[in-house]
Amino acid sequence: MVIRLLTVAVTSALLAGCVSVGPNYQAPPAQPVTLQGAAAPVFSTTSPVASWWAQFDDPVLEQLVHDALGDNLDLRIAMARVREARAVFVEQRLDQLPHVTSGGSYDRRKQPDASLGGERVFSETYQLGFDAGWELDLFGRQRRAAEAARADLGAEQDNLADAQVTVAAEVARNYFELRGTQKRIDVAKRTLVNLRDTQRLTEARWELGAGSELDVQSSRARLKAIEADIPLLEVAEVQSRHRLAVLLGQRPDALDALLQPREVPAYAKQLPLGDTTDLLRQRADVRSAERRLAAATARVGVATADLFPRISLTGFVGFLSGDASGLVNGANKAWSVTPSISWAAFDFGTVRARLRASKAQADGVAAEYEKAVLLALEDTENALTRYAKQQARLGIVAEQAQAARRAEQLAQIRYREGSEDFLTLLDAQRTQLAADDALAAAESTVNVSVVGVYKALGGWGQQQDAAPPAVAGTLR
């Protein structure tokens, strides 16, 4: 009898390696991408050097990004999810093997015994040994579950890579916005110096009878308007510093000393893009969507396997005795083998409903993958166009600022000479301030646009060249 059961078990195990019901997953082919925006003259096909943020030659930015990739809390959350998914995958793989547990029990009872005419009999039973259970995976239910868990693990690893790209981009974006705001504050403060000189001049002319109170009050109003703008810019500066600190996993005021104002020029050369035809493989969000599709397809196989019988073997090997002192004697050896079968023969409606639900879920995930592809293409084309147009705008704004500064100088000279009225000077000063402020904002926007391009390209070279060991190690 035992030999017969073992033969059945071995035969079932061999069959289990040959049959897996449900669809076999095939990844959607990654078609080469042609980006129209990449043809603009502001781009080149050369590959960026090392990590993309290193091209700015800004040691503060490089330190911030490096620290963020090591300490950002969103990355710690993503790494924890990778570890969780890896543990689930290991568990699903082990479910394909027999489960063996050890244990012991003691049973003490007093109950009627029919053979003795209903007399109550006292009994004790001691048991010590190993229990085993094994579901023979005849139709691949366990293998499909492990396949789904493996795909889930891959999706979480890609989510981690996508989080790294996002964190690096957010650090760089907030850094350049901070520098832009600091430059706008500097422009406003330098303008205040000129306006105060003009204020003193108008008051002196009025006292000498060469001017008017209208000039004095107009100059004062303009001066106060600029003074009122500075606190708003300072609020934006503080918020950017605080945001950067939180991105680095630190308290809001931790970076105040590091982020003192410094000049950061706009990126003013061709932006290297590398090979953009492989965009869909570079984008971690697209790879994650593909892995989720693989997991959903495997779960269709799990649901399909529920249409077929499940065969399990349970057994026991150990000692069984009514006397604890002689429990482990050879005479008390015991074993048992119990095959069992379960089948939803009269519950196919429920099983088929679950199967339809899993197929519908897979269809939805397939649509999500297609959507991820389209959004990736849209994001990248928009980023390329935005950078090209912002570079063109920067050149125009720089020319405007240069002309406005020259016009203000001429108006100042002519007003001092008395050949031009104060309103002309006031208008020239207003135009100059607006132009200088627009130039500072445009320079910051160009740098932010560079960040947008490399984020859209999936963080070119980021995982290979810049991830700290603690982060990169989670991907192995």
Side-chain angles (χ1 to χ4, degrees), residues 82-97:
V82 170
R83 294 195 300 270
E84 177 186 0
R86 181 177 287 115
V88 171
F89 169 56
V90 171
E91 179 185 7
Q92 290 291 349
R93 287 180 60 187
L94 293 177
D95 278 345
Q96 301 175 59
L97 304 175

Side-chain angles (χ1 to χ4, degrees), residues 19-238:
V19 180
S20 290
V21 297
N24 293 317
Y25 176 71
Q26 290 186 343
Q31 300 293 338
V33 172
T34 301
L35 298 172
Q36 295 180 353
V42 293
F43 300 112
S44 71
T45 57
T46 57
S47 296
V49 177
S51 303
W52 55 265
W53 54 84
Q55 298 175 99
F56 291 98
D57 295 323
D58 189 324
V60 176
L61 174 60
E62 291 190 39
Q63 179 182 342
L64 291 173
V65 174
H66 182 274
D67 292 348
L69 289 175
D71 300 324
N72 179 265
L73 296 178
D74 287 332
L75 292 185
R76 287 170 57 183
I77 294 171
M79 286 187 282
R81 288 174 177 164
V82 170
R83 294 195 300 270
E84 177 186 0
R86 181 177 287 115
V88 171
F89 169 56
V90 171
E91 179 185 7
Q92 290 291 349
R93 287 180 60 187
L94 293 177
D95 278 345
Q96 301 175 59
L97 304 175
H99 292 273
V100 180
T101 59
S102 63
S105 64
Y106 165 63
D107 181 76
R108 177 186 176 93
R109 67 180 64 191
K110 190 174 184 179
Q111 61 187 18
D113 190 334
S115 64
L116 299 177
E119 180 181 351
R120 294 170 62 83
V121 177
F122 172 79
S123 65
E124 288 183 319
T125 304
Y126 297 87
Q127 180 176 304
L128 179 66
F130 297 92
D131 293 297
W134 185 20
E135 179 182 336
L136 306 180
D137 199 16
L138 294 177
F139 301 100
R141 190 178 72 88
Q142 299 285 6
R143 287 193 301 281
R144 291 299 192 193
E147 182 181 335
R150 181 191 290 273
D152 286 336
L153 172 58
E156 291 299 340
Q157 289 174 326
D158 288 326
N159 287 341
L160 172 58
D162 189 46
Q164 290 177 302
V165 172
T166 300
V167 166
E170 282 298 295
V171 169
R173 180 180 67 82
N174 280 276
Y175 178 76
F176 289 128
E177 288 178 352
L178 168 68
R179 293 311 188 196
T181 302
Q182 289 174 336
K183 188 168 185 178
R184 292 178 66 191
I185 292 173
D186 180 64
V187 168
K189 289 181 176 179
R190 283 190 283 107
T191 302
L192 279 180
V193 174
N194 294 336
L195 289 178
R196 290 191 179 104
D197 290 342
T198 301
Q199 175 71 15
R200 288 191 290 269
L201 177 60
T202 55
E203 290 175 349
R205 287 171 61 88
W206 182 35
E207 292 172 357
L208 295 174
S212 67
E213 185 180 3
L214 175 61
D215 293 346
V216 173
Q217 297 303 329
S218 297
S219 175
R220 180 175 299 147
R222 186 59 183 157
L223 178 66
K224 294 302 178 182
I226 302 303
E227 288 180 345
D229 286 340
I230 290 177
L232 298 178
L233 293 173
E234 289 174 340
V235 168
E237 178 192 15
V238 169

Side-chain angles (χ1 to χ4, degrees), residues 233-404:
L233 293 173
E234 289 174 340
V235 168
E237 178 192 15
V238 169
Q239 289 176 337
S240 294
R241 286 205 312 266
H242 292 172
R243 180 92 279 270
L244 283 168
V246 172
L247 284 170
L248 269 65
Q250 301 184 35
R251 293 183 179 275
D253 58 353
L255 301 179
D256 289 355
L258 179 65
L259 296 176
Q260 291 301 308
R262 70 190 302 266
E263 182 70 19
V264 175
Y267 195 91
K269 52 187 177 183
Q270 277 192 318
L271 188 65
L273 300 181
D275 183 11
T276 61
T277 60
D278 208 23
L279 171 67
L280 298 182
R281 293 186 184 276
Q282 294 174 205
R283 294 270 303 210
D285 56 340
V286 175
R287 299 198 308 268
S288 177
E290 185 274 327
R291 288 290 81 201
R292 290 194 297 271
L293 176 58
T297 304
R299 290 191 174 96
V300 173
V302 174
T304 303
D306 286 339
L307 293 170
F308 299 89
R310 295 189 192 179
I311 298 177
S312 300
L313 290 177
T314 58
F316 169 77
V317 176
F319 299 92
L320 184 64
S321 174
D323 182 8
S325 62
L327 177 61
V328 294
N329 291 338
N332 293 326
K333 289 181 180 179
W335 61 268
S336 67
V337 176
T338 307
S340 64
I341 184 170
S342 64
W343 187 25
F346 299 100
D347 197 23
F348 276 159
T350 301
V351 176
R352 288 196 172 99
R354 286 199 299 266
L355 178 57
R356 289 195 299 271
S358 64
K359 288 181 177 179
Q361 183 182 31
D363 290 341
V365 176
E368 289 176 359
Y369 170 75
E370 294 178 9
K371 179 181 177 181
V373 170
L374 294 179
L375 289 177
L377 296 175
E378 177 192 22
D379 184 27
T380 308
E381 289 286 11
N382 287 345
L384 295 174
T385 301
R386 188 181 304 112
Y387 174 76
K389 298 303 181 182
Q390 290 294 347
Q391 275 286 13
R393 180 178 180 274
L394 177 60
I396 297 172
V397 172
E399 293 177 359
Q400 175 196 10
Q402 183 178 2

